[in-house]
Amino acid sequence: MDAVIVITFMTVPASVPDGVRVGGLFVYFHEVVLLAAVVYAGVRLRQAKPVGRRMLHSPVAIALGVFIVSVMIAVAHGLVAGYPIRDVQYDMRPVVAMVGAVFVAAVIVSLGDVARHVPALFFTLSGSALLMLVSSVTGLALSGREEAAQLYTTTGRLVAGGSDAHRLLTSTTPLALAVTLIAVALLLVGVGRTKMIVVLLIPALIVDFLSFSRNAFLGVGVMLAFLIVTAVVNGMLLRIIVRIAVALGVLAVALGLAFVGASSMGAHEWAQSQVSGYSNRVISGLDESTRTVDSSTQDRRLENHYLAESVGDKEILGNGLGLRYKPATGAPEEFAAGAGQLYAHNYYGWIRTKAGVLGLVAFLGVLATCVLPVILRNWRDGPSIAVAGTTAGLAAVIAVAPMPNDHGGSIVFGCLLGYAIARAACRGDVMKQDAAVTPDDILTRAVH
């Protein structure tokens, strides 16, 4: 599992390969270690057979089973329709990775082994944050996407003021967003060791900041709304409101100190460009008038149009995995002219056009069984509330960012679903061992 965390999510220089070609198939390294983790989890599950049986009967597991069946039908549909096998497997692989992550996470959580893997999480987040800072300052090329932290119209004109900042989207990005949401939720709910949570939150926030993405605001906003609703149901509204206010104050002070610290270290111009880029691309990009003209939003709206149009008369079962739902654009070697025809930012629209209403309803059922029951549970089950709030936040994000449909995002989402399955099966008996982990444990294990 440590290998899955590090190999899947670690930011690396652009020269480091992420897989090998075996015949006509490109195999990613993280897929190999995920398969090994599934085997490991299967062996460990034999130690907790009663828990395994309870997990199979949990509402989330049942809903996930229906979703898996809908995906299998979509695979068969795509093969019968004559789509190229390489296209069918391209659509299928993230779903398989997500299901594998569900199983591994459910077993680890049910056995109370989460704390054993926190050092690997810390190592991955902190190492990636450091490398991204170096890249931002020096221009070191990293694996992933690098582009100007600016918004443009479809004609190439700047929407807001320019800056020299560069946004970095790496394999760590989906993990950092999820860690940020769950860490903030844990702090607001008031469970877990604060120092341990902060140790993970700081590098996650750095990665989030350098991604210059509006998705973080969307995810945090929905997560906070979920916590407020849960607090109202449990009569804890005043407590959560006070903690949100305190958290905002601490964040403002921390950002101010970070800017002053960067300036005092001779990085004033760099810090100024980052703030300018964040203001221009993220803060200004939240305004509706900006989103009506910026190319990023318009590209997603055009993509949604193609998704809706491609459904046609196959509303129930969809068109099958492997459907190229939109026309190719750009040069032949570019992503938009190849795999980009299969890929979509709106995961709900992607499911609907590939697996039909059956797949969409099944996936919505998975989300509902993860989120809705937690609202009515006792406030003392803080970890479940935090994970459900994170799931709710990411459920909003995947309408504009294909987290379950990329390699890292599929594993992140799978881990959240696996946690929900284990918590429902164990009824609060898990994670007793996790409470003993300390920040010193994290640092010590990471070093060794």
Side-chain angles (χ1 to χ4, degrees):
M1 188 58 197
D2 289 343
V4 172
I5 295 171
V6 175
I7 293 176
T8 304
F9 300 109
M10 189 75 178
T11 294
V12 295
S15 58
V16 177
D18 58 357
V20 294
R21 186 165 293 281
V22 180
L25 180 67
F26 189 84
V27 179
Y28 292 95
F29 294 138
H30 77 267
E31 293 176 328
V32 177
V33 293
L34 178 60
L35 177 60
V38 169
V39 174
Y40 164 77
V43 174
R44 293 295 308 277
L45 187 60
R46 296 179 63 183
Q47 304 173 12
K49 288 184 179 180
V51 175
R53 287 192 290 268
R54 290 202 301 270
M55 286 194 293
L56 286 176
H57 292 92
S58 70
V60 183
I62 294 172
L64 182 64
V66 176
F67 177 67
I68 292 173
V69 170
S70 72
V71 172
M72 292 174 63
I73 293 173
V75 170
H77 194 170
L79 293 175
V80 171
Y83 302 144
I85 294 179
R86 66 177 182 275
D87 290 352
V88 176
Q89 63 87 21
Y90 181 90
D91 276 346
M92 183 177 64
R93 285 168 79 170
V95 179
V96 174
M98 182 175 71
V99 173
V102 169
F103 177 68
V104 174
V107 172
I108 287 176
V109 174
S110 67
L111 296 176
D113 283 351
V114 175
R116 294 177 56 186
H117 307 290
V118 172
L121 185 62
F122 168 75
F123 172 78
T124 301
L125 286 170
S126 58
S128 299
L130 179 60
L131 197 59
M132 291 172 72
L133 283 171
V134 170
S135 174
S136 180
V137 174
T138 66
L140 172 68
L142 301 177
S143 180
R145 284 175 53 196
E146 178 183 351
E147 57 191 40
Q150 299 171 347
L151 291 176
Y152 299 91
T153 65
T154 53
T155 59
R157 180 176 58 84
L158 278 176
V159 176
S163 75
D164 296 328
H166 286 264
R167 66 189 303 237
L168 302 169
L169 301 175
T170 72
S171 55
T172 318
T173 303
L175 175 66
L177 177 57
V179 170
T180 297
L181 293 182
I182 197 168
V184 172
L186 286 171
L187 291 173
L188 293 177
V189 173
V191 295
R193 294 179 178 270
T194 301
K195 291 182 179 179
M196 182 191 73
I197 295 170
V198 171
V199 162
L200 297 174
L201 179 59
I202 291 175
L205 286 174
I206 293 173
V207 175
D208 288 334
F209 180 86
L210 293 176
S211 71
F212 292 91
S213 174
R214 291 167 282 187
N215 295 338
F217 281 88
L218 175 60
V220 170
V222 174
M223 181 269 291
L224 291 178
F226 173 86
L227 292 185
I228 290 173
V229 170
T230 306
V232 169
V233 172
N234 289 275
M236 306 295 290
L237 180 59
L238 180 60
R239 177 186 296 184
I240 200 69
I241 293 296
V242 170
R243 287 180 175 172
I244 290 174
V246 171
L248 290 175
V250 171
L251 179 61
V253 172
L255 290 176
L257 291 175
F259 182 78
V260 172
S263 299
S264 64
M265 295 173 61
H268 176 76
E269 291 186 5
W270 173 84
Q272 186 65 48
S273 68
Q274 304 308 303
V275 172
S276 176
Y278 204 84
S279 175
N280 293 335
R281 192 186 194 283
V282 180
I283 305 302
S284 297
L286 296 173
D287 187 81
E288 177 61 28
S289 60
T290 299
R291 289 186 284 116
T292 57
V293 295
D294 87 85
S295 59
S296 178
T297 302
Q298 297 311 307
D299 288 345
R300 281 163 173 73
R301 289 176 177 172
L302 180 61
E303 200 173 73
N304 289 339
H305 170 74
Y306 285 128
L307 285 170
E309 288 292 316
S310 64
V311 174
D313 59 352
K314 300 177 180 179
E315 185 73 36
I316 304 299
L317 297 179
N319 295 276
L321 295 190
L323 170 72
R324 292 182 175 248
Y325 72 94
K326 63 180 178 180
T329 57
E333 68 276 6
E334 291 183 354
F335 177 78
Q341 295 178 269
L342 299 161
Y343 181 86
H345 289 82
N346 183 345
Y347 194 66
Y348 302 106
W350 183 88
I351 292 175
R352 179 175 174 240
T353 195
K354 303 283 178 118
V357 172
L358 174 63
L360 177 60
V361 172
F363 184 71
L364 292 175
V366 173
L367 296 178
T369 53
C370 282
V371 172
L372 295 181
V374 176
I375 296 178
L376 303 178
R377 290 179 185 169
N378 194 293
W379 180 264
R380 287 176 296 177
D381 190 11
S384 287
I385 294 174
V387 171
T390 300
T391 304
L394 295 182
V397 170
I398 64 175
V400 292
M403 177 169 279
N405 227 3
D406 61 30
H407 298 300
S410 62
I411 293 178
V412 167
F413 223 86
C415 287
L416 293 172
L417 300 182
Y419 187 98
I421 289 173
R423 292 292 289 196
C426 297
R427 298 295 183 184
D429 293 333
V430 298
M431 290 192 68
K432 292 180 181 178
Q433 299 174 29
D434 302 336
V437 71
T438 67
D440 290 338
D441 293 332
I442 297 173
L443 296 173
T444 302
R445 296 180 199 172
V447 168
H448 288 86

